[in-house]
Amino acid sequence: MDHSPGALVAERYRLTRILGRGGMGVVWQAADERLRRDVALKQLVLPPGLSDQTRDQLVARVEREALAAAMLKHPGIVTVHDRVTDGEGIPWIVMELVRGRSLADAVKADGPLRPREAARIGRAVLAALETAHAHGVVHRDIKPANILLEDERVVLTDFGIAAVEGEGHLTQTGSVLGTPSFMAPEQVAAQPVGPAADLWSLGATLYYAVEGRSPFAAPSPSAVFVAILQQELSPSANAGPLAPVLHALLRKDPAARPTAAETTAMLDRASQVPPAASLPSAEPSVPAFAGPATGPITPLPTVPVPEVPGTAYGAPGPDVEPATTRVPPPPPGSDGGEKRPGKGKAIAVAVAVLAVALGAFVFRPQGSPGTGERETAGTGSTGSSSAAPSPGATLPAVPPAFVGTWEEETDVFSLRVDIEEGSVGAHIAEIQLERGENRCKTLGSLTWASSEKIVIRMDDVCEDDSRMTLTLLGDGQARYVSGTTDVTLGHQD
């Protein structure tokens, strides 16, 4: 069957353009010629050489995704219109077209969110999860790439590996399926998972939203697993009023995590804190994979791995396949997964089990080898296997292009920003602002950096905000934004 722009699927949906692709699938924008509306089509692409069992399992997973999302009616959950089959017997999912970008893309392009905005997004995702959980659906893959932002609307998508009550299991006992950096400890340990696992993943997602990195970043998926099971949560430099929510959601023991109602109350409180108070006092950011590991596992070096944003609808990223880790089943007599005090002990036992199996983290056909963070998204995934940062990728220090003096002077104000080399958490900037009789001079700490933008937290509020961003525009110019001030500065040699 022809799968190119202009092709007709199921005698109804005219393919328009690709929204995202990966080794195992493609998400298309298409025109519904019967109802005259634009839709999104998720296509499963099966690589050659698959066994009949693997093929049937992948097809069943697409069927499960359509079922899980279609049974849920909520404005924060992507609407599934239909499930159709092409001439080759491959299922396609027909969904509403959400005209927006993912949370992952937003953070990559604009830097970390303010705590209040992150709390608002978290509250919306939580409301969607409450509906899913009430219908017996556990998403199991909450992450920034699966959260779409359409104006003020927040949409949860990609139920590709969701567990649906009463529908049986598609994954063998002892398999770990999900996105490493956003998986709950019980999910990593191949224990049965429930709604508490989605709440952990929501906490990890919100941590990423305000910090620009996942809470347990490490050089490889196996190292991420060890960090999730053993390492304490790194202090957050930017969470402010959101910090108590993050620490509560990211408790290792699922029984110790807050309920959805408790989380809702905490997010509501965090979203109501005024902007000036939402930024914490200077607290250096600590690398996510730091400190000695406890137990028999040797600690790995600190290598921050940037979150690689996925495309909308959980579309697979380039050239990386869904990841399944085979971990031996829990030892006889260990906890079967019920939420109750003491489950943390079962997970601790699973650390030793996981240590034996860390080398078994493999990618299915056509998976890209190498280190880096992989993200599975139902019919596909997003990944990074190169050590070199891509344009816009998160960096741990000030890029050389930002170092120096940036100035602008008009009849109304004068602004000077001196930037020096330094890493996240360090004072790297001196800001001087004069506007009429008001004169302000303060230092600023680096909270996030990419090759094109840096985010700085100022020690003192010069006007109406203590956060500033500096974005390179080329030709020796950069855009300065802080509160209501939005000006272009020139680089002084």
Side-chain angles (χ1 to χ4, degrees), residues 224-246:
V224 171
F225 284 177
V226 174
I228 289 173
L229 289 169
Q230 289 195 303
Q231 301 293 328
E232 294 301 319
L233 180 64
S234 301
S236 171
N238 305 315
L242 200 58
V245 187
L246 302 182

Side-chain angles (χ1 to χ4, degrees), residues 368-385:
S368 299
T371 62
E373 185 166 319
R374 272 75 171 179
E375 297 186 342
T376 65
T379 58
S381 59
T382 302
S384 171
S385 58

Side-chain angles (χ1 to χ4, degrees), residues 389-390 392-404 406 419-424 428 446 448-456 470 472 491:
S390 59
T394 303
L395 301 175
V398 176
F402 286 93
V403 175
W406 300 85
I419 305 289
E420 62 182 29
E421 295 179 348
S423 58
V424 170
I428 55 91
L446 181 68
W448 185 85
S450 75
S451 57
E452 300 169 352
K453 176 184 290 189
I454 58 176
V455 179
I456 294 170
L470 199 63
L472 295 178
H491 189 268

Side-chain angles (χ1 to χ4, degrees), residues 164-311:
V164 182
E165 186 176 1
E167 290 297 319
H169 299 285
L170 295 177
T171 307
Q172 296 178 337
T173 301
S175 292
V176 176
L177 189 62
T179 301
S181 288
F182 300 94
M183 291 168 62
E186 62 269 28
Q187 196 173 359
V188 168
Q191 299 281 342
V193 299
D198 281 347
L199 294 183
W200 164 284
S201 299
L202 175 60
T205 295
L206 295 180
Y207 187 103
Y208 170 85
V210 296
E211 294 299 320
R213 59 177 174 85
S214 56
F216 296 98
S220 67
S222 59
V224 171
F225 284 177
V226 174
I228 289 173
L229 289 169
Q230 289 195 303
Q231 301 293 328
E232 294 301 319
L233 180 64
S234 301
S236 171
N238 305 315
L242 200 58
V245 187
L246 302 182
H247 283 275
L249 292 177
L250 294 173
R251 290 170 182 157
K252 307 285 188 194
D253 185 351
R257 292 171 209 150
T259 64
E262 292 168 341
T263 305
T264 297
M266 288 191 290
L267 287 171
D268 285 345
R269 286 194 295 271
S271 65
Q272 294 167 5
V273 177
S278 68
L279 289 158
S281 58
E283 177 189 26
S285 176
V286 179
F289 194 71
T294 57
I297 301 177
T298 302
L300 297 174
T302 299
V303 181
V305 179
E307 159 80 12
V308 182
T311 49

